[in-house]
Amino acid sequence: MLYAIHGEDAPGSLEKRQDARTQHLERLRCLHREGRLLLAGPFPAIDSPDPGPAGFSGSLIVAEFDSLEAAQRWAEADPYVDAGVYARVDVKPFRKVLPP
């Protein structure tokens, strides 16, 4: 089943995000290689594809896991969590409707 993982950035965490980005992306690439990643990306803090020093307000990952518990364990082990980038992480079941 698919699960939506929403990480909400802690205030002032842009430098931590940049420092942990390589490890974070490698985990996402692993999901992609396994055919389990539907989409992933950050939320710019301002209306711009490159928010510069304004940074990001969080991230969204939609991926396939065996269970809600497995998705939560994966999310809790994210380098952004360890680095203090995310102040909060929510994991919810997700049902894709469109596109088919």
Side-chain angles (χ1 to χ4, degrees):
M1 180 164 184
L2 292 173
Y3 295 88
I5 300 169
H6 174 237
E8 183 180 322
D9 283 19
S13 62
L14 180 58
E15 186 175 331
K16 293 176 183 178
R17 176 182 271 273
Q18 292 166 334
D19 291 345
R21 187 170 190 266
T22 300
Q23 296 88 353
H24 171 77
L25 290 178
E26 183 49 42
R27 291 182 84 232
L28 292 171
R29 287 185 187 105
C30 183
L31 284 179
H32 180 66
R33 286 190 298 269
E34 295 170 357
R36 297 170 44 205
L37 182 65
L38 184 65
L39 65 89
F43 296 110
I46 60 173
D47 188 14
S48 172
D50 181 7
F56 300 91
S57 63
S59 302
L60 176 66
I61 299 163
V62 179
E64 184 178 343
F65 292 92
D66 291 335
S67 66
L68 177 59
E69 292 78 19
Q72 288 170 326
R73 280 192 308 274
W74 187 92
E76 290 166 3
D78 193 287
Y80 281 179
V81 171
D82 292 339
V85 174
Y86 293 152
R88 176 182 169 163
V89 178
D90 293 313
V91 181
K92 296 181 180 183
F94 180 80
R95 188 174 138 212
K96 181 180 179 233
V97 175
L98 293 171

